[in-house]
Amino acid sequence: MQEQQELKRGLKSRHLTMISLGGAIGTGLFLASGGAIHTAGPGGALLAYAIIGVMVYFLMTSLAELAAYMPEAGSFSTYASRFVDPSFGFALGWNYWYNWAITIAAELSAGALIMKFWFPNSSSILWSALFLLIMFGLNYLSVKGFGESEFWFSLIKVVTVIIFLVIGIMMIFGIFNNEAPGFKNFTLDDGPIHGGFFTVLGIFMAAGFSFQGTELLGVAAGESEDPEKTVPRAVKQVFWRILLFYILAIFVIGMLIPYTADSLASDDVRVSPFTLIFERAGLAFAASAINAVILTAVLSAGNSGMYASTRMLWNLAKDGKAPRFLAKVNKRGVPVNALIATALVGTLAFGASFFGDGAVYTWLLNASGMSGFIAWLGIAISHYRFRRAFVAQGHDLSELPYHAKLFPFGPIFAFILCAVVILGQNYSAFMGDSIDWYGVLVSYIGLPLFLIVWLGYKWTKKSKLIPLKECQVTVKKYE
């Protein structure tokens, strides 16, 4: 009996919301937010996260317009192939697959380090193998199994943030420690914005990395029930919750902990701003509790990475842009061969961290660091071209189940800001007496790799920019 070649629509609205929400709430909030405040002051961190948050909102609405009308597991890779150039879609697809496959390896390493908090003499490889099996198993079961696990992983993180915000706000008003700090920590030294424009620019990158994962919504739309309704609903809920969580959390931390405190710059869970504030509130188990939540965030990121990269690889294979055997789907609607290939690449990358001094692994991670921003650029370009092609071919906007707000400002603003972040990735390497070429190479290696894949496919396949009148904007209705 021949096996089907299509995915199953097993994701409900609550799954979609939590997948996208969980993608953005992770170590960026629990650990890196402290570093952002330490670097740019509470005002600088708030400004950077707010600006990046607005950009992410426009990207999400662009993606929602595309995904509600044309739900595809290949998401922005498919959209770029149809509305820009097949070579651009090819490069975006492989770029995104690589980004998440390497992220799996990073999360396996992080998971093992977190377990050392409780079991200092245990084997890192043992924990990483266990976490890999969990991630693989949850994705192997069915898309509903993945959606359900991600729902609960994300719920743990969301509840933690809400408890933190409630306790933090009570402490600001002096309820826990009988001392209301007022704005004295905000205006410390040269606060609230410490270091001027360039430090805020540096935080743009940190904020961007923190928000990455929101675009998982576009990939998951290809397996969601009734995407015309569930995708716009998820976008509306996700954006405001993420912005509220990040902005309020940074405000609370900035009010209660002096931004000059060295502890904010540390990645140690024992001095995570969340741990410090819970401890000040008299919760002695804070470090263990936050460590457990960070472990959940790591497993969630790895789980989502396994899902996103598998679906992208399956879609590339289905479109003839990856080996055909990777397009095979089992009776539960899971692309098993793509899942196995992705897990193997993640494992090999993780194994590279044990050889030499981990230099190979560091380079792999650096190459993937820019991939999320490149994917966002692709979304902005694809949406801009789609809307123009849609109108050029005589279609009415009333045919779209969801309209992105403020077109064309949204995708243009997102494109410009993403380009600024990509090009300013390591601006300090150019600021000294001489250029730090090693720093430039480490920071920007993802960009030439993307260009090589894009232009290489373009040259071999002789693909061209698709005229607006020829873009494939009509869709076959899903079942």
Side-chain angles (χ1 to χ4, degrees):
M1 188 178 92
Q2 189 180 5
E3 292 196 79
Q4 54 139 25
Q5 293 300 307
E6 292 302 318
L7 306 175
K8 289 191 175 178
R9 295 190 176 277
L11 295 175
K12 299 183 186 299
S13 180
R14 66 185 178 90
H15 293 143
L16 271 192
T17 302
M18 283 302 197
I19 285 167
S20 203
L21 200 56
I25 298 175
T27 51
L29 181 58
F30 296 121
L31 292 175
S33 57
I37 294 166
H38 184 70
T39 303
L46 279 172
L47 180 64
Y49 275 82
I51 292 170
I52 293 291
V54 170
M55 179 196 81
V56 170
Y57 171 72
F58 284 124
L59 280 170
M60 292 285 280
T61 56
S62 288
L63 190 54
E65 180 173 299
L66 290 162
Y69 177 69
M70 194 180 292
E72 294 276 353
S75 194
F76 25 91
S77 169
T78 302
Y79 305 143
S81 294
R82 289 182 184 176
F83 312 131
V84 186
D85 182 337
S87 60
F88 189 55
F90 175 84
L92 274 179
W94 280 105
N95 166 76
Y96 198 66
W97 171 80
Y98 172 80
N99 178 32
W100 279 109
I102 299 301
T103 298
I104 293 166
E107 303 306 342
L108 292 177
S109 296
L113 280 174
I114 289 165
M115 294 310 293
K116 296 275 191 183
F117 179 88
W118 293 297
F119 307 100
N121 300 317
S122 58
S123 163
S124 295
I125 294 178
L126 187 71
W127 290 118
S128 298
L130 176 65
F131 295 145
L132 180 68
L133 279 173
I134 291 170
M135 292 171 195
F136 184 88
L138 291 171
N139 277 272
Y140 182 76
L141 288 171
S142 67
V143 70
K144 197 170 181 182
F146 160 76
E148 205 59 44
S149 61
E150 201 50 38
F151 175 83
W152 290 105
F153 278 150
S154 298
L155 192 61
I156 291 168
K157 293 186 282 188
V158 168
V159 169
T160 303
V161 177
I162 291 170
I163 292 169
F164 170 79
L165 291 176
V166 170
I167 289 175
I169 289 166
M170 289 168 77
M171 288 174 71
I172 287 170
F173 288 103
I175 292 172
F176 267 97
N177 48 3
N178 300 318
E179 182 195 339
F183 281 88
K184 68 177 183 186
N185 289 329
F186 253 71
T187 53
L188 207 63
D189 290 349
D190 65 342
I193 297 175
H194 169 61
F197 170 76
F198 281 108
T199 55
V200 175
L201 176 63
I203 302 307
F204 275 3
M205 293 154 210
F209 285 126
S210 296
F211 283 123
Q212 280 178 17
T214 48
E215 76 290 331
L216 283 167
L217 182 76
V219 179
E223 291 174 273
S224 67
E225 296 174 354
D226 197 9
E228 288 189 1
K229 292 178 183 172
T230 55
V231 171
R233 193 183 305 145
V235 163
K236 285 172 189 168
Q237 292 174 347
V238 164
F239 170 73
W240 292 111
R241 288 178 189 178
I242 288 174
L243 199 60
L244 201 65
F245 285 166
Y246 271 95
I247 297 299
L248 272 180
I250 287 170
F251 176 75
V252 166
I253 295 164
M255 288 287 280
L256 295 174
I257 303 173
Y259 73 86
T260 51
D262 290 336
S263 56
L264 285 179
S266 172
D267 277 343
D268 188 334
V269 68
R270 283 163 291 205
V271 287
S272 154
F274 278 64
T275 306
L276 291 174
I277 286 171
F278 280 141
E279 283 177 345
R280 284 190 187 185
L283 303 174
F285 57 87
S288 271
I290 294 300
N291 204 55
V293 172
I294 292 171
L295 179 63
T296 305
V298 162
L299 288 174
S300 170
N303 196 33
S304 297
M306 192 82 83
Y307 170 80
S309 48
T310 296
R311 274 19 179 217
M312 193 60 78
L313 190 56
W314 169 82
N315 191 77
L316 287 165
K318 190 168 70 85
D319 290 347
K321 293 173 179 173
R324 283 283 180 191
F325 78 95
L326 295 168
K328 182 181 176 183
V329 175
N330 70 11
K331 61 186 178 184
R332 293 190 305 280
V334 177
V336 179
N337 290 347
L339 177 61
I340 292 168
T342 299
L344 283 173
V345 169
T347 310
L348 286 171
F350 171 71
S353 65
F354 290 100
F355 292 99
D357 55 357
V360 174
Y361 181 58
T362 304
W363 279 90
L364 288 172
L365 273 183
N366 284 329
S368 77
M370 210 179 269
S371 301
F373 291 105
I374 292 171
W376 285 357
L377 267 182
I379 293 167
I381 294 166
S382 299
H383 177 234
Y384 180 78
R385 292 269 307 169
F386 163 74
R387 180 72 83 86
R388 288 190 61 204
F390 196 74
V391 173
Q393 292 181 29
H395 290 276
D396 192 89
L397 293 183
S398 62
E399 296 172 47
L400 298 173
Y402 175 78
H403 296 171
K405 307 290 185 292
L406 297 180
F407 183 89
F409 173 77
I412 291 172
F413 173 72
F415 174 85
I416 291 169
L417 201 53
C418 274
V420 167
V421 172
I422 287 171
L423 296 175
Q425 184 85 351
N426 187 7
Y427 66 88
S428 57
F430 300 96
M431 301 288 280
D433 295 331
S434 60
I435 295 173
D436 174 12
W437 287 110
Y438 179 77
V440 169
L441 195 59
V442 165
S443 303
Y444 293 94
I445 187 171
L447 200 54
L449 285 177
F450 175 78
L451 292 172
I452 288 165
V453 174
W454 175 15
L455 299 175
Y457 188 88
K458 192 175 180 66
W459 182 68
T460 53
K461 299 290 183 180
K462 305 289 187 281
S463 71
K464 289 184 170 61
L465 182 72
I466 304 167
L468 293 175
K469 295 268 188 174
E470 294 173 26
C471 290
Q472 188 188 334
V473 298
T474 52
V475 289
K476 175 177 77 171
K477 278 291 174 188
Y478 52 87
E479 294 175 10

